[in-house]
Amino acid sequence: MLTCAGATGPAEALLGAIEHGVVGVRGERIVFVGEAAALPAGAIGPGTQLVDARGGFVGPGLIDPHTHVVFAGERADEFELRCQGKSYLQIAQAGGGIVRTVRATQDATVAQLVELALPRLRRLFRQGVTCVEVKTGYGLSVDAELRMLDAIAELRRVQPVRLVSTLLPLHALPKSYVDRRAEFVALMRDELLPRAAARGDVTFCDAFVEQSAFTHEETRDVLGKAKALGFKLRLHVDQLTANQGAQLAAELGAVSADHLEQIDAAGISALKAAGVVPVLAPTSTLFAKVRPFAPGRALSDAGLGVALCTNCNPGSSNSENVSLAMGLACLENGLTPAEAYLGFTRWAAAAIADPERGRLQVGGPADLAVYAAPSYRELPYHLGMNDVRAVVCRGRLTDFEA
Ligand code: NIG
């Protein structure tokens, strides 16, 4: 069993391995974590449901800390163009990219958005993911952004995976605002933010800091107000071009800085000094054909816990594959398998500012994954495959082999 709650030391120590471990659950909480031999007498009664991992390992439910799973439409033709040599930016400049998904999402009803997102969440759940961060950012009008939040709220009601929502008002500039940037920024800041804050169900506010998206100044303006309204912050930075975005994330006191393919040494130091969690999205580096892959090794060597995500979205990462993300993190970002596993557990929990998740501890949420594989090493190694046998989410068992 891996608790991911080891106190200090290298990644392997942080995994907190317990041989012949037992985790006891009552209701939605964990009530025992330890060796089988330490289980108190009488802990197992006639009503106890026993689950034997049968030589596989057990760990915390995984967390996907950066996704865009609520969207309508698809962009398979853009994938084809990239295969023919067009870049993600060239496609966006020619009228494709985020704004295309915005059009499709604006045309969808809340019920349609929910129907479309459900199978994506189911695919994540099937791989042991029990908590997912979900962004807006494909609405980009006050009403459409609020409808995306309604869809996330409805998804919370109809399926078990816990959802952490992020408002992403600065994702792309809608075409109709090309000559009125300041108006769009003011609309998001003055009308959308207060209405989203008043709902009480949105944790984070986010921005895409990029030449083709929003500037430092625009981001400071909107996210500064978001912070004052009580949102925690996270940022898409240094993805397609180097833009000192990591430094901006540090300056704004963001919880996480995501992507980071183009981060420099000063950016790494800034994240470390400010305690910002780096979130890498290796499937989107691959899928969007961005190079280089983010410097996971240097981030980890600087003493940062590196979180990983699928970044599931129709444009830059049409994938819900956790094993592939872990495998690429090892092969291309330079992480070890232990670091990659912590990237979807302990460090992913830090990236959503919810440190009680992503680890097994008494009093913590009863969210677990039971693997057929004997070791976490199989997850990146069995590339793109799924070795999850069962999931416990909110204390309820789903046995995929039953
Ligand atoms: O996280 N970087 C910006 N946003 C998404 C891409 C969304 C899209 O292409 O639709 C991302 O990669």
Side-chain angles (χ1 to χ4, degrees):
M1 184 166 79
L2 297 179
T3 64
C4 297
T8 55
E12 286 71 15
L14 298 181
L15 290 176
I18 301 178
E19 282 301 313
H20 307 296
V22 170
V23 54
V25 165
R26 187 175 299 128
E28 295 197 12
R29 293 275 144 191
I30 292 175
V31 292
F32 178 84
V33 179
E35 288 176 16
L39 203 60
I44 298 175
T48 307
Q49 182 180 19
L50 293 174
V51 181
D52 183 351
R54 306 201 301 275
F57 81 97
V58 175
L62 302 180
I63 299 165
D64 191 346
H66 177 142
T67 80
H68 307 250
V69 292
V70 173
F71 65 86
E74 47 79 33
R75 289 169 23 212
D77 53 344
E78 294 184 7
F79 178 81
E80 213 162 317
L81 286 172
R82 267 202 306 288
C83 298
Q84 292 160 7
K86 291 266 182 290
S87 74
Y88 180 84
L89 265 178
Q90 286 169 331
I91 293 166
Q93 280 154 2
I98 295 168
V99 294
R100 256 181 90 197
T101 302
V102 170
R103 280 196 293 278
T105 303
Q106 286 182 342
D107 287 346
T109 64
V110 170
Q112 285 167 335
L113 292 175
V114 168
E115 275 312 297
L116 290 164
L118 272 172
R120 299 173 192 134
L121 289 172
R122 255 184 246 124
R123 283 190 281 274
L124 287 167
F125 181 72
R126 181 65 187 80
Q127 295 168 86
V129 176
T130 55
C131 179
V132 174
E133 185 263 6
V134 188
K135 298 176 201 300
T136 66
Y138 290 130
L140 300 189
S141 72
V142 174
D143 283 352
E145 284 290 299
L146 292 172
R147 281 192 297 111
M148 287 193 75
L149 291 175
D150 288 342
I152 298 170
E154 178 63 5
L155 285 163
R156 265 192 201 107
R157 219 180 51 77
V158 299
Q159 59 79 54
V161 174
R162 181 181 136 83
L163 303 180
V164 176
S165 41
T166 296
L167 186 73
L168 177 49
L170 299 186
H171 197 195
L173 187 70
K175 272 221 173 71
S176 52
Y177 283 92
V178 166
D179 299 319
R180 301 181 291 144
R181 286 187 78 88
E183 231 179 275
F184 178 75
V185 170
L187 179 72
M188 295 292 109
R189 184 193 59 218
D190 299 335
E191 290 193 32
L192 177 60
L193 283 185
R195 289 181 65 181
R199 299 170 59 100
D201 64 353
V202 188
T203 307
F204 286 96
C205 188
D206 195 346
F208 185 19
V209 182
E210 187 60 57
Q211 271 171 27
S212 57
F214 294 92
T215 65
H216 281 218
E217 224 21 77
E218 290 161 342
T219 303
R220 278 192 193 98
D221 187 11
V222 175
L223 268 59
K225 166 95 176 261
K227 200 171 183 177
L229 287 168
F231 291 98
K232 294 181 172 69
L233 307 183
R234 55 194 321 121
L235 290 180
H236 290 62
V237 288
D238 293 319
Q239 181 188 11
L240 308 172
T241 56
N243 53 48
Q244 311 271 295
Q247 288 88 328
L248 180 63
E251 173 197 318
L252 292 174
V255 171
S256 78
D258 302 27
H259 289 291
L260 303 176
E261 282 87 342
Q262 321 298 337
I263 192 174
D264 58 13
I268 295 177
S269 304
L271 295 187
K272 177 67 182 153
V276 181
V277 181
V279 180
L280 308 189
T283 50
S284 75
T285 316
L286 179 77
F287 192 92
K289 294 185 86 175
V290 176
R291 291 297 180 275
F293 277 77
R297 185 71 265 132
L299 287 158
S300 183
D301 287 346
L304 287 151
V306 179
L308 297 172
C309 66
T310 65
N311 187 19
C312 174
N313 77 73
S316 73
S317 181
N318 187 28
S319 172
E320 300 92 341
N321 196 315
V322 171
S323 161
L324 181 60
M326 283 191 200
L328 287 171
C330 296
L331 294 165
E332 299 287 356
N333 298 109
L335 298 185
T336 65
E339 288 169 332
Y341 182 68
L342 290 168
F344 271 104
T345 54
R346 181 170 173 142
W347 305 134
I352 56 162
D354 192 351
E356 74 158 7
R357 290 179 187 278
R359 56 183 85 197
L360 301 181
Q361 59 194 353
V362 172
D367 291 349
L368 321 171
V370 182
Y371 298 86
S375 161
Y376 67 90
R377 291 188 175 90
E378 290 283 326
L379 274 50
Y381 168 61
H382 198 185
L383 189 64
M385 302 311 288
N386 180 17
D387 286 318
V388 170
R389 177 182 282 161
V391 169
V392 175
C393 185
R394 301 170 188 266
R396 290 179 65 122
L397 174 73
T398 303
D399 185 344
F400 299 115
E401 292 182 354

